């Protein structure tokens, strides 16, 4: 019999991973995804919006720019501080609150829209997180998500990391959230209407070496992976990432542009 996975221990490992480096250095480059998601959700002035696993606040800021009342949450306080800095610089009114996506401290049906860009998909207990998104969204409200697909570049990058540092047995891949079948299984058609659009975000760097250096310095999961490997293991990871990046680069030798597929999801609660 397989040993049940310790979700609490896994969550603690994840928190340490995301708190390492400085995700905001990477996260701010993804701002366009938050803007597109805000438009897809058709956010309206004075609506109540919750950003779950908000990171440094891309969807938070996009919602606030559209005149909504936003509560920005994450279980890593340092990430929220980056979002707070950005909101303050733009004179945007946002409420920031440390909160676990698997146990949101809000009443049922509290929000008109609940959003998450590349955030809630990394929760250890995926079913519980999905249920929490649904619980706090009012009937007629929308849940807006941006989730990396398994086939896309980021999905493949995490598979590469997993070959060098295997996840605990029983851990669910975050890219589950980037499959339509998984979304339909957790947001039943009787209660939810799903609209899914496949989009691409372009990572733009000088070269594969520039990308890897940036991510191993600032992006928690990659930072932690390189730190945990011995020198020969780190070299093997670097070689595999270089091969993946160069294979997916569409800019030729002059630069680096790597498209990464994600699902833009708008779920209307019936």
């Amino acid at each position: 019999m397989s040993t049940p996975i310790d979700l609490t221990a896994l969550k603690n490992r994840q928190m340490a991973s995301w708190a390492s480096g400085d995700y905001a250095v990477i996260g701010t480059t993804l701002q366009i995804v938050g803007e597109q998601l805000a438009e897809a959700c058709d956010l309206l002035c004075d609506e109540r919006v919750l950003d779950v696993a908000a990171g440094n606040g891309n969807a938070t800021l996009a919602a606030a720019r559209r005149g909504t009342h936003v509560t920005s949450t994450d279980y890593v306080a340092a990430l929220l501080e980056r979002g707070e800095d950005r909101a303050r610089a733009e004179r945007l009114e946002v409420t920031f609150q440390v909160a676990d996506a698997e146990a949101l401290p809000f009443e049922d049906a509290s929000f008109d829209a609940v959003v998450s860009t590349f955030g809630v998909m990394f929760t250890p207990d995926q079913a519980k997180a999905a249920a929490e998104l649904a619980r706090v969204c009012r009937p007629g409200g929308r849940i807006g998500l941006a989730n990396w697909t398994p086939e896309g570049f980021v999905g493949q990058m995490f598979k590469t990391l997993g070959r060098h540092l295997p996840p605990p047995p029983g851990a669910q891949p975050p890219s589950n959230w980037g499959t339509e079948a998984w979304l339909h299984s957790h947001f039943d058609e009787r209660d939810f209407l799903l609209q899914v659009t496949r989009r691409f975000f372009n990572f733009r760097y000088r070269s594969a070496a520039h990308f890897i250096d940036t991510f191993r310095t600032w992006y928690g999961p990659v930072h932690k992976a390189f730190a945990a490997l011995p020198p020969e293991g780190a070299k093997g990871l670097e070689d595999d990432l270089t091969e993946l990046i160069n294979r997916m680069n569409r800019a030729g030798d002059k630069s680096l542009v790597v498209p990464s597929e994600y699902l833009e999801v708008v779920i209307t609660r019936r």
Side-chain angles (χ1 to χ4, degrees):
M1 294 180 63
S2 60
T3 303
I5 185 171
D6 186 339
L7 293 175
T8 299
L10 178 57
K11 184 179 294 185
N12 289 336
R13 284 176 51 184
Q14 287 183 333
M15 289 177 68
S17 175
W18 290 111
S20 67
D22 188 346
Y23 174 74
V25 174
I26 308 298
T28 52
T29 68
L30 300 166
Q31 182 61 46
I32 190 173
V33 176
E35 301 294 338
Q36 289 175 328
L37 184 63
E39 287 298 300
C41 290
D42 196 22
L43 298 182
L44 306 176
C45 278
D46 295 327
E47 284 194 309
R48 298 159 298 163
V49 177
L50 177 66
D51 190 357
V52 178
N56 66 305
N58 288 341
T60 294
L61 269 63
R65 288 171 184 145
R66 287 157 178 80
T68 69
H69 302 293
V70 192
T71 300
S72 185
T73 65
D74 201 287
Y75 67 176
V76 179
L79 295 181
L80 291 180
E81 290 173 3
R82 293 290 187 267
E84 193 168 5
D85 289 343
R86 299 173 72 194
R88 186 183 305 112
E90 293 194 34
R91 306 295 192 270
L92 296 173
E93 293 188 11
V94 176
T95 299
F96 291 89
Q97 182 173 343
V98 175
D100 186 341
E102 297 172 9
L104 294 169
F106 306 107
E107 298 293 329
D108 295 357
S110 297
F111 295 94
D112 300 296
V114 183
V115 298
S116 185
T117 55
F118 312 127
V120 72
M121 65 179 291
F122 290 99
T123 52
D125 193 332
Q126 298 182 349
K128 184 179 288 186
E132 282 293 275
L133 298 181
R135 181 183 66 79
V136 300
C137 182
R138 68 166 175 82
R142 295 88 74 208
I143 300 169
L145 305 171
N147 302 327
W148 302 118
T149 66
E151 306 85 6
F153 168 67
V154 172
Q156 293 300 309
M157 181 177 72
F158 274 96
K159 287 182 181 178
T160 301
L161 294 177
R163 289 199 300 269
H164 290 264
L165 282 176
Q172 297 299 304
S175 58
N176 280 350
W177 288 74
T179 64
E180 293 189 47
W182 188 93
L183 290 166
H184 280 285
S185 71
H186 287 78
F187 297 95
D188 188 278
E189 291 183 357
R190 293 170 300 178
D191 300 313
F192 302 94
L193 173 65
L194 272 71
Q195 296 177 289
V196 178
T197 304
R198 291 184 178 268
R199 294 193 181 276
F200 289 88
F201 173 80
N202 292 314
F203 288 96
R204 297 177 182 272
Y205 290 84
R206 298 185 188 92
S207 62
H210 181 211
F211 178 98
I212 293 170
D213 181 63
T214 301
F215 270 65
R216 74 186 296 176
T217 302
W218 304 114
Y219 188 70
V222 177
H223 175 81
K224 280 290 190 181
F226 274 104
L229 292 168
E232 62 274 16
K235 179 61 166 61
L237 175 57
E238 182 176 356
D239 289 345
D240 285 351
L241 287 175
T242 299
E243 188 280 328
L244 171 66
I245 293 165
N246 285 334
R247 173 161 44 88
M248 300 190 76
N249 178 26
R250 66 167 178 79
D253 296 333
K254 61 183 180 180
S255 190
L256 185 76
V257 179
V258 177
S260 187
E261 185 184 54
Y262 70 94
L263 297 188
E264 180 185 84
V265 185
V266 179
I267 304 168
T268 303
R269 183 176 177 184
R270 297 185 190 275

